Amino acid sequence: MNNDSELPINPDDVAAAAQRLAGVAHRTSVFTSRQLDERFGAELFLKAEQFQRGGAFKFRGAYNTVSSLGKGELARGVVAASSGNHAQALAIAAGLAGTAATIFMPQDAPASKRAATEGYGARVIEFDRYADDREAIVREFVEREGLTPVHPYDDPQIMAGAGTSALELLQEAGPLDLLVIPAGGGGQLSGGAVAASSVAEPPRVFGVESAAVGQWGASLAEGRPVRVKVGRTIADGQQLPSPGTRTFTVVKALVEDVVGVEDAQMRTAMRYLFERQKLVTEPSGSSALAAVLAGLIDVKGLRVGVIMSGGNIAVDRFVSLMSQER
């Protein structure tokens, strides 16, 4: 790893985001389990971002960004492409700021996420995640309609806001040896890594992605962001063809590794969280714990922070996934 002073964000940016979010975002709970600690010979601290506004960590970055926009930018309305969690978060943040949100969502995005996004007041336009270039779609729409783009992850304000979840975890749990964070586009992973770098003895940081996609593994192997064919996985929040340019810069500098988890391992983590912790997570939200439960990251003897990034899943899909896990 390489500590680069020229990274897109620094710990002061995360601290500023925390101040902006104070009293607006929820300070989500941290859960522990004696049984889990005994099983792994470690101390685990689970940060439950499914209790954040909009049901995922994404509200942190969306609100931090929207509340930083100028009057002219807000007046034009905001736009983004998202499979669901950023969509809901941006819709909420836009409503709080008194502006309109347009969201491009994949045709196969969970119906519950689309319904929630529209319920928060956003206009939804569909696209094909397997055939269309989401970045090009948004870029062309911005040029044509004049809306203000709010990228789901590759934006300094988004990254700084997302990093406040790790900052809160460190404040509540105290010194950690290891921090494990889900990785989609990398907003939470990069922001969390920067937040972790600010403490006296920074923990090692690992990201976790869907093995069926593997954009982080491929990109880190090449030393630059590369595009991969988006594989089919239950983790819709991690179905992205490439990491962000800014997020990759941070992850390459501050994150030890990004490991891939299989769908079955995420289902196992979801079942554990539901049955033993009484917590509902969506597949991508369970990925960090899935890596720990599967033994992909050695946690023995360590104090470990694990972020559960979201819980936006419809009851029928949750039941279906759990029936597959048996």
Side-chain angles (χ1 to χ4, degrees):
M1 291 187 296
N2 170 37
N3 282 312
D4 187 346
S5 60
E6 300 302 319
L7 296 178
I9 62 170
N10 60 50
D12 288 341
D13 296 317
V14 180
Q19 289 186 327
R20 195 172 286 120
L21 288 161
V24 181
H26 300 319
R27 189 177 180 93
T28 55
S29 301
V30 176
F31 291 84
T32 59
S33 165
R34 185 175 63 181
Q35 179 270 338
L36 197 62
D37 290 353
E38 291 175 351
R39 175 178 170 182
F40 288 98
E43 291 182 81
L44 277 75
F45 301 88
L46 312 181
K47 178 73 164 167
E49 284 295 284
Q50 56 264 62
F51 295 125
Q52 189 50 260
R53 296 181 73 161
F57 78 95
K58 287 286 192 176
F59 178 74
R60 297 174 181 273
Y63 183 81
N64 188 50
T65 303
V66 171
S67 63
S68 303
L69 295 176
K71 290 183 179 179
E73 294 171 307
L74 284 173
R76 293 195 294 271
V78 294
V79 61
S82 166
S83 65
N85 286 342
H86 179 67
Q88 293 172 73
L90 185 57
I92 297 170
L96 291 172
T99 191
T102 298
I103 310 293
F104 286 89
M105 295 187 74
Q107 294 168 345
D108 63 346
S112 59
K113 291 186 176 182
R114 174 168 180 162
T117 301
E118 292 176 327
Y120 291 129
R123 173 174 59 151
V124 172
I125 303 174
E126 291 184 350
F127 73 95
D128 184 340
R129 78 162 88 231
Y130 303 103
D132 297 331
D133 183 336
R134 68 175 66 199
E135 303 290 344
I137 290 172
V138 172
R139 187 166 56 249
E140 291 167 4
F141 192 81
V142 167
E143 292 173 357
R144 185 172 68 251
E145 303 290 335
L147 277 68
T148 302
V150 179
H151 200 279
Y153 49 87
D154 206 31
D155 176 275
Q157 297 282 29
I158 290 284
M159 295 157 66
T164 60
S165 58
L167 182 64
E168 288 177 8
L169 176 55
L170 288 159
Q171 290 170 343
E172 182 159 341
L176 296 173
D177 301 303
L178 190 63
L179 181 60
V180 189
I181 305 174
Q188 188 175 41
L189 177 57
S190 59
V194 169
S197 73
S198 68
V199 301
E201 296 185 19
R204 298 156 57 206
V205 180
F206 280 79
V208 183
E209 67 175 340
S210 166
V213 181
Q215 77 269 26
W216 280 101
S219 296
L220 290 170
E222 288 288 327
R224 60 182 177 84
V226 298
R227 292 185 68 86
V228 300
K229 180 180 174 63
V230 177
R232 296 186 183 275
T233 171
I234 62 173
D236 61 278
Q238 297 178 329
Q239 283 183 295
L240 297 166
S242 178
T245 301
R246 294 182 179 90
T247 59
F248 181 82
T249 299
V250 175
V251 170
K252 184 181 178 183
L254 300 179
V255 175
E256 185 165 327
D257 196 10
V258 178
V259 302
V261 290
E262 305 290 344
D263 283 3
Q265 293 167 332
M266 285 184 274
R267 288 196 296 267
T268 297
M270 290 170 67
R271 178 177 289 279
Y272 167 81
L273 288 166
F274 180 73
E275 292 184 341
R276 300 305 296 262
Q277 296 277 8
K278 314 309 173 192
L279 296 170
V280 173
T281 55
E282 61 188 285
S284 54
S286 74
S287 60
L289 182 62
V292 174
L293 295 179
L296 302 178
I297 301 171
D298 183 10
V299 300
K300 186 174 178 59
L302 304 178
R303 288 172 54 84
V304 183
V306 178
I307 292 182
M308 299 175 291
S309 57
N312 287 318
I313 184 168
V315 64
D316 55 348
R317 184 165 186 252
F318 184 84
V319 170
S320 174
L321 290 176
M322 292 302 90
S323 66
Q324 295 173 42
E325 198 272 327
R326 284 200 179 280

